[in-house]
Amino acid sequence: MAWNLDSDRPIYAQILEVIQLRVIAGVYKPGEKIPSVRELAAEAGVNPNTMQKALSELERSGLVMTVRTSGRVVTEDMEMIRQTRNHLAKEQVKEFIDRMKNLGFETEEIVRLLEQEGEYE
C-alpha cells in the first residue's frame, strides 16, 4: 500500500488513513508491532514529527498502543478494528454519493447504477 500523499489535505491525516487501511487490510495484524516512527517517516518521505503526530492520534483512537519495550503495536480488539473498517467505508460511500450528486445524479439513479455494476461481478 503506497504512500500517495497530496497537498490538498493535512499530511498527518493522510498518514493516519494509510495506517488505518493497513490495519483493516491485515498488513499490520492485531497484536503485531508496527515499524518505528523513523522507519515509517522514511518510507512515506515525511518529517518524523508529522509521522509522530499521526501515530499519536492512532493511539488516542485505540487502534494502536505503545508497549514499553516493544514500541507500538496494533490493538488486538477486533471490535475496534471492525468499527474502524465500517467508519472508513461510510466515509468512502458518502464521498462517492456527494461526487455523484455533484454530477447531477439523484439518489435513485445512483442506487440503480450500483445495482447494475454489481450484476457484472
Side-chain angles (χ1 to χ4, degrees):
M1 202 166 292
W3 296 91
N4 297 323
L5 307 176
D6 59 52
S7 58
D8 293 347
R9 298 181 306 126
I11 297 297
Y12 88 92
Q14 295 175 67
I15 291 169
L16 186 82
E17 289 173 1
V18 169
I19 295 173
Q20 287 174 328
L21 287 171
R22 287 179 176 187
V23 169
I24 64 173
V27 175
Y28 300 146
K29 298 183 181 357
E32 182 177 275
K33 182 182 183 305
I34 63 172
S36 71
V37 170
R38 289 193 188 284
E39 289 173 304
L40 287 170
E43 180 186 331
V46 299
N47 184 300
N49 291 333
T50 304
M51 185 60 69
Q52 177 62 42
K53 182 176 181 180
L55 291 172
S56 293
E57 184 62 33
L58 285 169
E59 276 192 72
R60 275 193 287 285
S61 76
L63 197 59
V64 299
M65 60 191 103
T66 298
V67 177
R68 273 186 107 101
T69 57
S70 302
R72 286 188 172 92
V73 297
V74 176
T75 184
E76 292 182 356
D77 183 349
M78 295 307 291
E79 179 62 22
M80 167 69 69
I81 294 171
R82 189 188 65 73
Q83 287 175 0
T84 301
R85 179 177 182 247
N86 288 341
H87 175 74
L88 292 175
K90 286 178 183 179
E91 285 180 354
Q92 291 293 313
V93 169
K94 183 180 178 342
E95 287 177 27
F96 171 75
I97 291 171
D98 289 346
R99 284 194 312 270
M100 294 299 285
K101 287 188 174 183
N102 286 338
L103 290 172
F105 285 89
E106 297 294 325
T107 303
E108 298 77 26
E109 292 175 293
I110 297 169
V111 169
R112 200 168 31 256
L113 281 170
L114 290 170
E115 288 172 344
Q116 288 172 354
E117 195 61 31
E119 292 173 6
Y120 297 110
E121 291 186 36

